[in-house]
Amino acid sequence: MEIATKYDPSEVERKWYRYWMEKGFFHSEPDEREPYTIVIPPPNVTGVLHMGHMLNNTIQDILIRRARMMGKNACWVPGTDHASIATEAKVVAKLAKEGILKTDLTREQFLEHAWDWTHKHGGLILEQLKKLGASCDWERTCFTMDEKRSESVTKVFIHLYNKGLIYRGVRMINWDPAAKTAVSDEEVNYKEQSGKLYYLRYKIVGEDGYAVIATTRPETILGDTAVCIHPDDPKNAHLKGKKVIVPIANREVPIIEDDYVDIEFGTGCLKVTPAHDVNDYILGEKYGLEILDIFNEDGTLNQLGLQYEGKDRFEVRKQIEKDLEEAGLMEKVEAYENKVGFSERTLVPIEPKLSMQWFLKMGDPAKPALEAVMNDTIQFFPAKFKNTYRHWMENVKDWNISRQLWWGHRIPAYFLPEGGYVVAETQEKALELARKKSGNPNLQLADLRQDEDTLDTWFSSWLWPISVFNGVNEPHNKDIEYYYPTSDLVTAPDIIFFWVARMIMSGYELRQKSCFHKVYFTGLVRDKRGRKMSKSLGNSPEPLDLITNYGADGVRMGLMLSAPAGNDILFDESLCEQGRNFNNKIWNAFRLIKGWKIAEIRQPKSAEIVTRWFDALLSKTIENIDDLFSKYRISEALMEVYKLFWDEFSSWYLETIKPDYQQPIDKKTYKATLDFFDALLRLLHPFMPFITEELWQALEERKEGESIMISPMPTAKKDGKGEKGEGKIADFEQVKEIITNIRAIRMQKNIPNKESLNLQVTGEYNPVYNPVLIKMANLSTVERVREKTPDAISFLVKTTEFAVPLGDNINVEEELEKLEKELKYHREFLESVLMKLNNEKFVSKAPEKVIEMERKKQADAESKIKALEENITALK
């Protein structure tokens, strides 16, 4: 296979992705192998790729490719989420541009538009993931509103309803006025806001005085039905048993007493608005107060809002402040910081609202799900998220599962003409149940009315690990029995409650076991200044542009270099450049090796030594990589193989074995080099799939249907491990240090590389490595001496002194000045170490290891000082 001069990622990526797809390498069917399963966190069906997706899916692909190469039956299930609120909002906006209002359409007509939109824009994100190299089993692609998933959702709703876990009732819920739907507690983000605290005057009926009440929401006074004081509050005791007049509404309301009131807040008088505050609602129920809902669904005031009817709530707040001032009913206004809940989806302030909704009891389902994480049946990486999870699960509230939307899974509840309802999978079953319940055999389908609401999007997502294998509809099918529980989940910590916790609950509820074994939490992708990426800041790069500029492998590497588990990623485009440079390094190393001529000649001793060293180092690195993957320290695993290739293979191994100009390489060394390169490509493949496939295919002649992605992952050799292997590695580190010191002397003294030098050794030294020293440092001799020559420059490696005689290559005055400076530094350093070691307090309290380290510093410094003093004496 002809290898190009320069690496062209775009051509290579197209070619090999097509090859992998054609050969069916991504597809999995149950067999006798150990399964390794990941389900993709389903992105919004109409979404487009962003940096968070890039990171998350790169990690999933690394894990799935590695598992495949470890001999496991790897199955990565892709899919998309119907995203009720987001998709419906997009369809409504699109229709508005065409002059069509949602209210002008029937439900069926609107859903036709929604499906058209989904078919037109849906799935684009999955196509974009292919550009990244995602090796998903595309034949298994699912959609949360496809037939099987929809059927699953309905069945689970009915199962939970029949079990008594789903109920319907009027509750105070979070209302999103922009989306015009209820949202769950988890979909509300609380933010500190600078607002105002308004002190309003409520006239006491039959008296001249006022009760002064502090509120942050003066527009809601029109829904007030009482004022509450603490029974033991002396400053408000005069109000007991009286009535006051609500400003502007001019409505009399009673003074009630309850110890719920905080005497210290404001004036100790609390306005009670049961329709618009959860705590006021509780008071209202307790004292039988009237409930006045003053808001329309879009956050404007209704007819109970009097002269403010039709105006937005925040516009009314400004106006009512002016009107109260003019009426003399505003005591004062203070600046006030308070937390306001915002809708996660539409970013508008939430309105507490009384509403008839469907709820799922979470208390019982949460118990096994909490236990599974706390006892590590399901492991979190990093483990710090266990506490976050525990806190939420121990304080879990019932889940509001209904949404006032049309796009989504419609609630399978049917209302009877005379009241009451039935829950059923189909209209026919609903009619059968309705006839039984009503005792009316003449009841017709037209008499029943299905609930207009849909289910929360997360109600389908929480079934994902089960529903993608059709495990709800067919609980014992071969796929669910083989692939479930899934192996790893890769997700962001911001959906730990929305999704992770609920999936764990559904697993125990429906299959009595965990839905996955391990959860890897990625961080959030931020820019290099630590800011969250957003279009408005202009700091969010276009992922496909990055792939065009740096290649998919370069981008994957750039992301992983900055992606420690659970910590935010400070993304810098220069890391992608580093990834691209690494691609070029690999490419050029391959071209160098393939450019050598091979001959039946004896293997040089230097090549034999360096081959044994690299073989041991490769085994040691494989062990390290395996250990890091077991701990999900994936970035560190990449750094291990990156350094092995760049620092050790390219800089030391290849340089040592490289034949002289226009000379051939021996066959034994060449074969070992190809074997090392093959192993390195396989170690790199999960991280950088495209370039590794291209070079692996070119490494030797391959058969049709062969691929690096289905070749085995390298394993550590037994003889490369243990003391023997460690010894080779440690010895060679000393050799590298000697060579580095000699090269530094050449640079300092401007001695050309082509000019050979002599090396003198005093002390312990193993001459077996001489061939490597001679080649890599261009030495003519390496000799053991009792004393170095006076004109030699020396250096220490451990406790052994090495010296390079310079002859005419030295300026005595300059060298003496340099050595005196160095001596001064080491004497001062030794003094600081001795101060610590002579300090009884330090020696008695410091750990043994720390003291040992300080003593080692002392010995090293003393050794260096002695060598420097000898050098100075020799030069004088």
Side-chain angles (χ1 to χ4, degrees), residues 211-244:
V212 177
I213 293 159
T215 180
T216 57
R217 304 184 64 204
E219 68 279 9
T220 61
I221 61 173
L222 304 172
D224 289 358
T225 52
V227 167
C228 191
I229 59 171
H230 195 287
D232 302 326
D233 181 5
K235 66 180 179 293
N236 286 312
H238 66 288
L239 295 173
K240 290 185 178 187
K242 297 180 180 175
K243 289 186 176 183
V244 291

Side-chain angles (χ1 to χ4, degrees), residues 263-473:
I263 295 173
E264 302 304 318
F265 177 78
T267 61
C269 286
L270 178 79
K271 65 191 275 314
V272 184
T273 319
H276 300 296
D277 182 275
V278 65
N279 296 309
D280 290 8
Y281 175 66
I282 293 165
L283 285 173
E285 280 202 318
K286 188 173 177 180
Y287 296 100
L289 301 176
E290 188 182 1
I291 295 170
L292 301 176
D293 185 347
I294 65 167
F295 290 121
N296 294 314
E297 289 186 349
D298 61 357
T300 58
L301 272 69
N302 59 25
Q303 70 278 9
L304 293 175
L306 306 176
Q307 65 263 40
Y308 309 106
E309 183 179 356
K311 292 181 179 177
D312 181 76
R313 55 191 169 150
F314 297 114
E315 187 188 335
V316 173
R317 183 176 296 177
K318 289 177 189 172
Q319 186 58 50
I320 214 164
E321 181 183 356
K322 290 178 187 172
D323 295 347
L324 288 164
E325 291 272 11
E326 286 173 11
L329 297 174
M330 182 75 78
E331 181 88 2
K332 61 177 176 175
V333 179
E334 293 177 348
Y336 188 69
E337 293 281 326
N338 69 327
K339 282 192 173 180
V340 176
F342 286 79
S343 166
E344 192 217 26
R345 287 288 177 196
T346 62
L347 307 178
V348 302
I350 285 296
E351 195 59 59
K353 182 179 172 69
L354 270 179
S355 178
M356 178 68 80
Q357 302 284 337
W358 292 88
F359 296 87
L360 171 58
K361 293 177 185 175
M362 299 292 267
D364 288 341
K367 287 170 188 170
L370 174 59
E371 189 182 338
V373 171
M374 298 321 290
N375 67 19
D376 284 337
T377 300
I378 297 171
Q379 288 179 275
F380 280 5
F381 295 88
K384 66 180 181 181
F385 288 109
K386 282 172 72 171
N387 285 332
T388 311
Y389 178 86
R390 178 181 54 80
H391 178 75
W392 187 75
M393 293 294 271
E394 286 177 349
N395 297 282
V396 71
K397 294 178 183 173
D398 288 358
W399 176 12
N400 174 6
I401 56 172
S402 48
R403 297 290 176 269
Q404 289 62 55
L405 301 165
W406 281 349
W407 176 247
H409 299 101
R410 194 168 179 182
I411 290 174
Y414 298 82
F415 297 98
L416 280 62
E418 65 275 14
Y421 60 88
V422 293
V423 169
E425 276 183 63
T426 63
Q427 292 181 335
E428 291 69 32
K429 284 184 183 175
L431 182 59
E432 188 185 325
L433 288 172
R435 283 172 175 169
K436 277 183 189 173
K437 184 168 185 173
S438 65
N440 179 3
N442 299 318
L443 210 59
Q444 297 302 309
L445 201 55
D447 299 325
L448 303 182
R449 179 179 60 82
Q450 188 176 351
D451 197 311
E452 290 289 325
D453 289 356
T454 55
L455 286 161
D456 179 7
T457 299
W458 297 104
F459 195 87
S460 52
S461 306
W462 81 318
L463 307 175
W464 193 243
I466 302 172
S467 66
V468 294
F469 298 115
N470 205 25
V472 175
N473 301 322

Side-chain angles (χ1 to χ4, degrees), residues 14-253:
R14 271 194 301 272
K15 175 174 68 176
W16 292 117
Y17 203 87
R18 187 168 60 243
Y19 177 77
W20 296 330
M21 289 283 282
E22 285 169 1
K23 299 300 176 192
F25 292 146
F26 302 161
H27 185 57
S28 170
E29 287 292 339
D31 61 23
E32 70 289 343
R33 289 175 293 166
E34 178 190 344
Y36 177 84
T37 319
I38 294 180
V39 293
I40 200 171
N44 287 2
V45 66
T46 57
V48 290
L49 205 60
H50 59 60
M51 294 306 291
H53 294 131
M54 293 277 279
L55 171 69
N56 187 289
N57 287 283
T58 294
I59 292 167
Q60 289 177 80
D61 196 47
I62 289 167
L63 293 171
I64 211 85
R65 285 181 183 273
R66 181 174 162 83
R68 204 178 276 125
M69 294 176 77
M70 302 284 275
K72 296 176 184 176
N73 189 351
C75 180
W76 182 13
V77 183
T80 51
D81 189 285
H82 65 279
S84 292
I85 295 176
T87 305
E88 181 147 329
K90 284 181 179 177
V91 176
V92 167
K94 178 240 178 198
L95 290 171
K97 282 181 184 174
E98 297 168 8
I100 304 167
L101 295 175
K102 178 186 170 185
T103 48
D104 296 338
L105 302 173
T106 64
R107 186 189 196 105
E108 289 67 30
Q109 287 170 335
F110 178 81
L111 288 177
E112 274 183 41
H113 285 284
W115 277 111
D116 286 347
W117 174 269
T118 302
H119 291 139
K120 185 178 176 184
H121 299 280
L124 171 66
I125 193 165
L126 299 184
E127 290 304 310
Q128 291 175 325
L129 284 179
K130 292 176 183 178
K131 302 273 188 200
L132 187 65
S135 58
C136 300
D137 187 346
W138 299 109
E139 293 175 44
R140 292 183 175 275
T141 302
C142 299
F143 174 46
T144 50
M145 266 179 69
D146 65 25
E147 197 175 330
K148 285 180 180 175
R149 265 44 65 183
S150 295
E151 194 181 330
S152 301
V153 167
T154 302
K155 277 188 173 168
V156 170
F157 182 95
I158 291 162
H159 160 78
L160 294 171
Y161 175 78
N162 290 337
K163 201 174 173 182
L165 291 174
I166 286 180
Y167 64 92
R168 186 171 181 262
V170 175
R171 298 287 185 279
M172 182 67 70
I173 50 94
N174 306 299
W175 186 262
D176 180 336
K180 298 180 190 174
T181 181
V183 293
S184 68
D185 291 343
E186 291 72 40
E187 291 167 291
V188 179
N189 296 326
Y190 287 89
K191 302 177 194 174
E192 285 285 350
Q193 297 287 299
S194 297
K196 296 177 180 178
L197 190 61
Y198 304 85
Y199 288 80
L200 315 182
R201 293 173 179 162
Y202 287 56
K203 188 165 188 326
I204 303 167
V205 174
E207 296 181 21
D208 291 336
Y210 293 90
V212 177
I213 293 159
T215 180
T216 57
R217 304 184 64 204
E219 68 279 9
T220 61
I221 61 173
L222 304 172
D224 289 358
T225 52
V227 167
C228 191
I229 59 171
H230 195 287
D232 302 326
D233 181 5
K235 66 180 179 293
N236 286 312
H238 66 288
L239 295 173
K240 290 185 178 187
K242 297 180 180 175
K243 289 186 176 183
V244 291
I245 298 169
V246 178
I248 294 179
N250 293 320
R251 186 175 60 252
E252 288 186 13
V253 296

Side-chain angles (χ1 to χ4, degrees), residues 658-782:
K658 187 165 70 176
D660 291 336
Y661 181 63
Q662 291 193 335
Q663 294 301 305
I665 190 168
D666 69 280
K667 210 168 187 177
K668 191 175 180 183
T669 305
Y670 187 72
K671 184 183 182 310
T673 305
L674 292 186
D675 288 345
F676 289 149
F677 205 92
D678 179 280
L680 288 165
L681 289 175
R682 284 181 285 141
L683 286 172
L684 279 166
H685 177 74
F687 302 101
M688 308 173 79
F690 293 109
I691 192 169
T692 51
E693 182 74 86
E694 174 78 359
L695 296 180
W696 187 84
Q697 293 284 349
L699 204 55
E700 61 182 70
E701 204 169 313
R702 306 289 181 191
K703 293 172 192 163
E704 177 64 21
E706 283 191 288
S707 169
I708 191 172
M709 71 176 286
I710 52 170
S711 65
M713 184 60 69
T715 54
K717 292 180 184 174
K718 285 184 182 175
D719 59 354
K721 298 192 278 186
E723 281 182 34
K724 196 176 173 186
E726 293 282 3
K728 284 179 198 165
I729 295 164
D731 286 351
F732 202 83
E733 281 304 309
Q734 288 183 54
V735 173
K736 285 159 65 177
E737 198 176 336
I738 297 164
I739 294 164
T740 303
N741 274 288
I742 296 167
R743 287 173 175 173
I745 290 168
R746 280 187 184 276
M747 192 177 286
Q748 286 165 14
K749 305 303 168 196
N750 293 317
I751 303 167
N753 288 328
K754 63 183 179 183
E755 191 175 316
S756 62
L757 299 171
N758 296 322
L759 181 67
Q760 297 175 341
V761 187
T762 61
E764 286 184 25
Y765 167 70
N766 187 350
V768 75
Y769 291 102
N770 283 357
V772 177
L773 286 177
I774 287 165
K775 174 156 188 186
M776 293 293 280
N778 189 13
L779 303 175
S780 51
T781 59
V782 179

